[in-house]
Amino acid sequence: KMGHSVALNFADGKTFFISVNNDELLLDAAVRQGINLPLDCRVTKHYCLGRISHELVQVFPDNRTVLMGDDYTNGGLFMFVA
């Protein structure tokens, strides 16, 4: 299992180098190597809702006035998952 070497820099000036396997969480690798990290570092899914809309635009003859409207005919909702 190839992995990565990661440097953990702490506020007290200490630095630890650990190896993290490709299929391993950073928290699990640190605990495996005897370094205690806050347990709230676990991966959590975050969700965010979004809305997309294709607005209806009319430009008037003066080329300075624009009327924008949205009847939501060309719109949709989506969800980001991170």
Side-chain angles (χ1 to χ4, degrees):
K1 292 181 182 180
M2 289 294 293
H4 303 279
S5 179
V6 176
L8 300 174
N9 299 312
F10 291 91
D12 63 3
K14 292 182 182 175
T15 300
F16 296 94
F17 294 91
I18 63 171
S19 62
V20 182
N21 296 323
N22 286 336
D23 60 347
E24 184 176 36
L25 297 175
L26 181 62
L27 176 63
D28 294 335
V31 170
R32 175 175 52 81
Q33 294 170 64
I35 300 170
N36 293 321
L37 294 177
L39 294 178
D40 60 354
C41 291
R42 290 244 180 239
V43 173
T44 305
K45 285 188 178 180
H46 296 277
Y47 301 91
C48 178
L49 293 178
R51 175 179 172 253
I52 187 168
S53 175
H54 179 57
E55 294 184 355
L56 307 172
V57 177
Q58 180 183 359
V59 180
F60 284 82
D62 64 4
N63 286 328
R64 294 177 14 166
T65 307
V66 177
L67 176 65
M68 295 173 45
D70 183 6
D71 63 1
Y72 210 63
T73 302
N74 301 312
L77 295 174
F78 55 90
M79 180 173 32
F80 290 111
V81 179

